[in-house]
């Protein structure tokens, strides 16, 4: 199924992200965790793409298995930063031929100390969107957006103007970077609409269930952490079960607030942890009908 058809429904959705193994050696345990999330039958699932593309076949395999074994619609992420145009073209064909109907088109993070773009490389996610449209026009394409601004952007206005280019190129929906303060998301959504961007915007929620995960998430995304959440991590961070419970509760509260403010679609970054995904799903059981 194409995500455009899921997202046009009036129903609220909770979808989930998983990642593929970094090496073939741990393929089985990672796939087991990803399929553990699929067993919960979220509205759809997305499978990330290793930065260098070296584990691309795992992304496609896991996205295929999610669909085959659990009947859950899947989406493969695809980045272009570390690949030649030919490699990207080949990868789009592989995704299409595997019957995956949705791609999250990303540039990816520029590896440190490399010249970018090299000749024959795409420079922006919007270039990748154009390429997918050329090779596989039937695929439904999404892109990433950043409520607190992308770290490389000059300012938020310029960043939103670049998001508009991505949407104009054929991006049919956007999934946000994680955020821990919903008011930042509401403000961002207003600015997107004001800039003429009307595609569905899916709120990305990261349940922080380990103290170390917070530092890493901030480092990767640069997002703000409200004092309320800092206190939770300070208080419970050294006791793993308590931190997990508190992290699930915080993410649940964020999601309920989003739904209560008319946001229909939430994507949970599960970090391949079925227990966390189940905790959130159980907390929302009446609201999402599961
Ligand atoms: P772009 O949309 O190309 O934007 C990157 C920067 O370039 C921004 O500052 C933007 O303002 C600017 N820009 C864009 N277009 C133009 C233009 N036409 N002219 C001038 N400037 C422009 N990374 C992975 O490696 N694998 C994944 O699976 C993955 N999944 C992700 C999922 C989500 C929901 C999110 C939010 C991020 C994900 N990332 C992933 C991280 C992402 O690849 C990085 O944040 C990366 O730095 C930017 O990718 P992008 O697709 O947003 O790039």
């Amino acid at each position: 199924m194409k995500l455009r058809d899921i997202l046009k429904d009036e129903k609220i959705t909770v979808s989930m992200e998983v990642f593929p193994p970094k090496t073939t050696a741990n393929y089985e345990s990672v796939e087991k965790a990803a399929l553990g999330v699929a067993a919960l039958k979220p509205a759809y699932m997305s499978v990330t793409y290793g930065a260098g593309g070296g584990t691309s076949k795992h992304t496609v395999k896991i996205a295929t298995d999610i669909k085959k074994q659990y009947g859950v619609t899947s989406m493969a992420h695809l980045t272009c930063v570390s690949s030649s145009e030919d490699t990207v073209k080949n990868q789009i064909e592989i995704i299409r031929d595997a019957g995956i109907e949705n791609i999250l088109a990303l540039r990816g993070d520029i590896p440190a100390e490399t010249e970018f773009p090299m000749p024959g490389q795409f420079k922006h996610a919007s270039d990748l969107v154009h390429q997918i449209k050329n090779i596989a026009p039937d695929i439904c394409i999404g892109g990433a957006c950043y409520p607190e601004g992308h770290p490389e952007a000059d300012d938020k206005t310029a960043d939103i103007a670049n998001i508009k280019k991505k949407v104009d190129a054929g991006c049919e929906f956007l999934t946000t970077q994680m955020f821990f303060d919903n008011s930042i998301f509401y403000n961002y959504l207003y600015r997107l609409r004001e800039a003429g961007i009307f595609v569905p915007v899916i709120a990305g929620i990261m349940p922080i269930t380990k103290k170390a995960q917070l530092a890493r998430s901030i480092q990767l995304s640069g997002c703000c952490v409200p004092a309320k959440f800092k206190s939770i991590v300070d208080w419970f961070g050294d006791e793993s079960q308590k931190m997990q419970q508190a992290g699930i509760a915080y993410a649940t509260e964020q999601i309920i607030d989003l739904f209560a403010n008319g946001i229909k679609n939430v994507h949970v970054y599960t970090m391949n942890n079925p227990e966390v995904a189940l905790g959130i799903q159980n907390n929302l059981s009446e609201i999402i009908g599961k």
Side-chain angles (χ1 to χ4, degrees):
M1 192 169 186
K2 297 198 170 54
L3 289 205
R4 80 169 74 95
D5 295 321
I6 294 178
L7 298 171
K8 77 177 178 210
D9 208 327
E10 276 312 302
K11 262 187 11 203
I12 56 173
T13 65
V14 175
S15 52
M16 301 198 175
E17 179 190 277
V18 291
F19 54 77
K22 287 198 175 63
T23 63
T24 302
N26 63 347
Y27 182 83
E28 269 178 34
S29 62
V30 176
E31 163 143 300
K32 192 170 166 225
L35 292 181
V37 176
L40 304 176
K41 306 259 182 132
Y44 69 88
M45 284 177 68
S46 75
V47 187
T48 65
Y49 191 79
T55 56
S56 56
K57 64 175 190 296
H58 299 325
T59 297
V60 174
K61 170 89 170 61
I62 291 177
T64 309
D65 286 352
I66 284 168
K67 201 173 149 197
K68 264 198 203 140
Q69 294 187 28
Y70 290 95
V72 173
T73 295
S74 63
M75 167 164 74
H77 294 204
L78 178 60
T79 69
C80 56
V81 73
S82 301
S83 313
S84 67
E85 283 188 28
D86 284 345
T87 307
V88 170
K89 180 172 178 276
N90 188 35
Q91 194 57 30
I92 297 167
E93 287 167 351
I94 290 172
I95 294 172
R96 179 197 60 196
D97 297 346
I100 297 163
E101 296 177 280
N102 308 287
I103 295 181
L104 193 74
L106 302 141
R107 186 201 66 187
D109 285 322
I110 302 167
E113 290 163 30
T114 56
E115 191 190 325
F116 178 78
M118 298 280 275
Q121 271 189 332
F122 294 119
K123 195 170 176 193
H124 305 296
S126 51
D127 302 328
L128 177 58
V129 174
H130 279 297
Q131 182 70 312
I132 298 169
K133 286 244 148 256
N134 285 338
I135 296 172
D138 283 347
I139 281 188
C140 177
I141 307 169
C145 66
Y146 303 83
E148 297 178 59
H150 185 267
E152 286 166 38
D154 290 340
D155 54 50
K156 280 190 187 174
T157 307
D159 200 32
I160 289 176
N162 290 330
I163 297 283
K164 176 91 168 56
K165 290 179 197 162
K166 203 150 54 175
V167 171
D168 290 345
C171 220
E172 298 180 61
F173 61 91
L174 297 163
T175 305
T176 75
Q177 179 60 283
M178 69 185 86
F179 56 89
F180 300 108
D181 176 349
N182 286 1
S183 62
I184 291 173
F185 174 79
Y186 299 135
N187 180 275
Y188 182 65
L189 192 57
Y190 175 80
R191 294 186 66 171
L192 287 178
R193 301 314 188 210
E194 208 179 31
I197 299 168
F198 297 109
V199 295
V201 180
I202 300 151
I205 295 295
M206 168 76 93
I208 298 288
T209 55
K210 293 185 178 78
K211 191 179 186 176
Q213 198 189 344
L214 182 62
R216 190 168 149 66
S217 301
I218 298 169
Q219 190 200 354
L220 282 175
S221 67
C223 57
C224 302
V225 182
K228 178 180 167 184
F229 190 53
K230 265 195 194 132
S231 306
I232 290 175
V233 179
D234 282 350
W235 196 255
F236 297 112
D238 294 325
E239 293 173 274
S240 61
Q241 288 304 106
K242 291 181 186 177
M243 186 59 229
Q244 176 157 315
Q245 192 169 45
I248 290 172
Y250 190 88
T252 305
E253 198 183 309
Q254 264 194 289
I255 296 171
I256 290 174
D257 180 74
L258 289 164
F259 288 152
N261 281 282
I263 305 304
K264 284 195 326 185
N265 310 110
V266 170
H267 198 54
V268 178
Y269 299 123
T270 70
M271 303 302 287
N272 286 18
N273 189 331
E275 212 180 297
V276 171
L278 178 64
I280 291 181
Q281 190 164 292
N282 282 345
N283 285 349
L284 298 169
S285 58
E286 292 298 326
I287 295 169
I288 60 175
K290 291 234 180 213

